[in-house]
Amino acid sequence: MSMVPVGPVKVSALGIGATMAGATVSTVLALVIGVIAVLLMARSLHLRLKD
């Protein structure tokens, strides 16, 4: 049992995990920003229609 093959596999697994986590975070951020933008647009439209 040599420790040589474990290192690269662990590093690549960590890299894949980090990439997936980053993609998830950016997706969630994009969703949150989209929801906020839609809410702001709806609010401004509502205020404009009320006048």
Side-chain angles (χ1 to χ4, degrees):
M1 291 288 288
S2 64
M3 290 294 291
V4 176
V6 175
V9 171
K10 247 187 202 171
V11 167
S12 62
L14 278 173
I16 291 168
T19 305
M20 283 176 67
T24 305
V25 168
S26 57
T27 305
V28 169
L29 276 174
L31 280 171
V32 168
I33 290 169
V35 166
I36 289 171
V38 167
L39 283 174
L40 284 174
M41 276 170 56
R43 207 171 129 201
S44 62
L45 276 173
H46 184 70
L47 287 173
R48 202 174 294 161
L49 285 172
K50 215 168 26 172
D51 283 339

